[in-house]
Amino acid sequence: MSDYFKAKVEYVGEEADLMWEEKMVILFNNTVPQDLKDIAIVHEGGSLAAPIEEGDVMMIGDTPFTLLFVGDKANETMTDLGHATFHFNGSATADQPGTICLEDKEIPAIEPGMIISFRKK
């Protein structure tokens, strides 16, 4: 399996752990709006070499998560802003078009220098 998206975490917002408690991760590249920076995981680089699809795998460090749902706008916002909202809730649907749902399991601690990537299953 080869990665079609790979980015290094630059910054973890001071309140990002509050989002983890809600089983959510908000990912943004360094164009993140200031009002979202405190709750976001900010990464450098990372461009999509293929579309994100259900069944793909997101890696947070060494921990794999299967994607269960990809919102209609998720690929667009990941391409333009390196942004999507990830819900680790085991759901196959979401209300927001930029949301990606993944299997329901514990999110590892995310720290600067970690790699977040996507790969086809």
Side-chain angles (χ1 to χ4, degrees):
M1 288 189 287
S2 63
D3 298 335
Y4 62 85
F5 175 88
K6 190 173 190 176
K8 185 165 78 170
V9 175
E10 280 187 345
Y11 174 81
V12 177
E14 294 174 14
E15 297 179 11
D17 59 337
L18 297 175
M19 301 307 293
W20 299 339
E21 290 173 14
E22 299 294 321
K23 297 187 174 233
M24 292 174 57
V25 168
I26 297 175
L27 190 66
F28 254 107
N29 66 18
N30 54 18
T31 65
V32 60
Q34 192 60 41
D35 59 334
L36 295 177
K37 192 171 183 178
D38 285 343
I39 60 171
I41 304 299
V42 181
H43 65 88
E44 70 169 292
S47 60
L48 289 177
I52 300 170
E53 299 174 320
E54 294 166 13
D56 290 354
V57 175
M58 177 185 194
M59 298 292 296
I60 299 178
D62 295 328
T63 306
F65 295 89
T66 299
L67 281 64
L68 305 175
F69 172 82
V70 179
D72 293 344
K73 295 284 185 183
N75 279 291
E76 180 181 330
T77 59
M78 280 295 293
T79 298
D80 295 346
L81 306 168
H83 166 64
T85 300
F86 297 88
H87 285 263
F88 296 80
N89 59 5
S91 180
T93 63
D95 294 335
Q96 300 298 319
T99 298
I100 296 174
C101 296
L102 303 96
E103 62 186 305
D104 184 358
K105 64 182 190 183
E106 187 173 343
I107 303 167
I110 301 173
E111 301 173 352
M114 284 183 82
I115 300 297
I116 294 177
S117 62
F118 293 98
R119 56 182 63 155
K120 297 295 179 187
K121 189 161 189 167

